[in-house]
Amino acid sequence: MQDERLIIAGREFKSRLWVGTGKYKDFVETKKAIDAAGADVVTVAVRRVNITDRSKENLLDYLDPKKYTILPNTAGCYTVDDAVRYARLARASGVSDLVKLEVIGDERTLFPDTAGLIEAAKILIKEGFIVLPYTNDDPVVAKKLVDVGCPAVMPLAAPIGSGLGIRNPYNLKIILETVNVPVIVDAGVGTASDAALAMEYGADAVLMNTAIAGARDPIAMAEAMRYAVAAGRLAFKAGRIPRKLYATASSPIEGIL
């Protein structure tokens, strides 16, 4: 699958499993899980994890920027102004002009504020950011985000951290048919089978945090997710057989005496 590189805005990524860095017991465990996952894109909440103050313990001390793409995100931002501010902070600190954009609209569900998301995306794109928006599983919103210049979209599978898996595969399939950019399933994955299904449906990548960090053995789960994403992608490319109501003999019967 090495010829199956994921390309976004001209940037090439080896792994289709992207991982977050929250909820681990320390940066050492974080690094071990990332390595076990085989991920080369690591997303970091600018508001919650130190990547800007080099005078204090910093996640970037554990992650080689030559090996990993650090993807700052605006998690925890409930307004357009906050999201834009933290994206600018990450870039000003020399981290990246690539940003996972989140504008949260509801504290209980953590569902996106889609109107605010589109507005913030427009502002950041005009400033030269490469914006990867975390959105709900709405094909119309996904299309609008692409129209304003987002080179990929990141629809949720279920609420952040819920572990419910893909709740609406039909919307995901419609998004995949509607937009002509990579689709990265983000949020809601609970276990390896969820990740494999996302890839089998045709997603270009899966991003997860809690499913790994919250597992009983995060390192083992990271490895499981690595295999699941690879298997799901390979199955998608191979093409599953049609579903049928009745049995079909595995061996042909022509010529049988």
Side-chain angles (χ1 to χ4, degrees):
M1 298 295 286
Q2 289 303 306
D3 60 341
E4 271 283 302
R5 302 294 174 90
L6 174 61
I7 299 175
I8 298 176
R11 303 188 183 198
E12 186 178 281
F13 306 102
K14 296 179 181 179
S15 175
R16 291 176 182 268
L17 172 57
W18 295 10
V19 296
T21 52
K23 302 183 179 180
Y24 292 97
K25 65 182 182 181
D26 53 36
F27 287 156
V28 172
E29 183 180 66
T30 305
K31 174 67 163 56
K32 288 180 179 179
I34 293 168
D35 288 343
D40 58 352
V41 177
V42 180
T43 184
V44 181
V46 183
R47 294 192 69 165
R48 297 169 179 161
V49 178
N50 178 33
I51 57 172
T52 58
D53 186 350
R54 304 299 296 181
S55 67
K56 300 177 182 177
E57 186 179 31
N58 191 306
L59 178 62
L60 300 186
D61 295 332
Y62 295 81
L63 301 177
D64 182 356
K66 294 180 180 178
K67 182 177 180 181
Y68 306 100
T69 295
I70 307 301
L71 177 60
N73 72 56
T74 59
C77 294
Y78 287 80
T79 67
V80 171
D81 288 346
D82 270 357
V84 169
R85 181 182 305 113
Y86 280 97
R88 289 170 176 164
L89 175 62
R91 182 164 71 175
S93 302
V95 178
S96 181
D97 59 359
L98 189 70
V99 62
K100 177 191 168 189
L101 180 62
E102 298 185 31
V103 182
I104 302 302
D106 178 69
E107 187 173 357
R108 185 166 64 93
T109 64
L110 299 181
F111 283 150
D113 172 355
T114 54
L117 181 66
I118 295 170
E119 182 182 348
K122 289 179 180 178
I123 294 170
L124 293 173
I125 289 168
K126 285 182 180 178
E127 295 182 7
F129 284 87
I130 300 169
V131 176
L132 309 182
Y134 162 70
T135 181
N136 59 15
D137 57 354
D138 183 337
V140 175
V141 174
K143 180 66 165 56
K144 288 182 177 181
L145 288 164
V146 173
D147 289 344
V148 302
C150 296
V153 291
M154 307 180 73
L156 55 82
I160 293 173
S162 68
L164 290 172
I166 300 172
R167 293 296 84 204
N168 197 334
Y170 304 104
N171 272 22
L172 176 59
K173 289 181 179 181
I174 294 171
I175 290 172
L176 288 163
E177 292 176 0
T178 300
V179 301
N180 58 354
V181 299
V183 174
I184 303 165
V185 169
D186 180 13
V189 168
T191 191
S193 56
D194 298 331
L197 276 175
M199 300 304 293
E200 287 177 16
Y201 290 142
D204 295 278
V206 179
L207 191 155
M208 65 185 74
N209 184 186
T210 306
I212 296 176
R216 185 172 62 251
D217 184 339
I219 312 307
M221 183 61 80
E223 187 175 6
M225 293 297 188
R226 178 179 189 169
Y227 297 139
V229 167
R233 178 65 180 177
L234 192 57
F236 170 73
K237 297 295 288 185
R240 66 159 292 136
I241 64 171
R243 291 180 172 88
K244 297 179 180 179
L245 182 60
Y246 298 105
T248 302
S250 298
S251 302
I253 60 175
E254 291 80 4
I256 294 179
L257 296 177

